[in-house]
Amino acid sequence: MTTDTNVTKKIDTILFDLDGTLINTIDLIVASFLHTMDAYYPGKYQREDVISFIGPPLSETFTNLDASRVEEMTHTYRTFNLENHDDLVSEYQGVVETLEVLSQQGYKLAIVTTKRRDTALKGLKLMGLEKYFNVVVSIDEVSNYKPDPEPLNLALQQLDSTAEKAIMVGDSEHDILGGQNTGTQTAGVAWSIKGRAHLASFHPDVMLEEMTDLLDYLGVPK
């Protein structure tokens, strides 16, 4: 991992995506999509098909499928998702350790997610991460979502920070492009369900093999 210390020493703000980055919700998301697709398009979609749905908000995904049934499909998805949330969500190695160190070192931390606020907070609480985040920007607070810079700028505003001092960490091209559009540094996570190579093709400033690599990139002692 190569680090430009002139850049990283300026960073005091970390913006994190949530699903697939800090908490492992992949099995839950895939199961929720498969359940929904089976209800509306029986036998048409498999696991590999719905992986491409991950990243954008549900409204965009379901509009692309059938604009006349967006609310209906969203309700089906969210009902299944909430009922199975706690059973299918798990932790990623190194996340708690990394957040604890960043918090102790005084870094400003925020969540920027395309999830609804109540579901995002549910996941943070389940994994014991809510204490690290006073700022959570969900799809409920914005008119435009990643890769639009609006949610990142809102998080920076609430943290009293600027893009030049921040890095966006995520598992999707929406996170990387969102950071680039905002002017932050960007970090991709190699455990992205879409694959390391796919995420690397969007040219994040650094690719994290595990979350503790973020500490190395920032020059923070573990």
Side-chain angles (χ1 to χ4, degrees), residues 1 3 7-8 10-17 102 107-112 152 155-156 159 161-170 175-176 178-180 182-188 204-208 211 213-215 217-218:
M1 181 187 299
T3 302
V7 172
T8 58
K10 299 177 183 178
I11 294 175
D12 65 8
T13 303
I14 323 289
L15 308 179
F16 290 97
D17 176 54
L102 291 172
Y107 280 83
K108 300 175 181 180
L109 308 177
I111 296 292
V112 181
L152 284 79
L156 292 171
L159 291 170
S161 187
T162 62
E164 294 74 22
K165 296 181 179 180
I167 184 169
M168 177 73 212
V169 183
D175 303 309
I176 306 307
Q180 292 168 350
T182 308
T184 71
Q185 290 282 298
T186 57
D205 293 289
V206 63
M207 184 67 74
L208 309 177
M211 190 56 77
D213 288 346
L214 181 59
L215 300 176
Y217 182 68
L218 297 173

Side-chain angles (χ1 to χ4, degrees), residues 50 77 141 184 191 197:
V50 302
Y77 177 100
E141 286 83 53
T184 71
W191 53 93

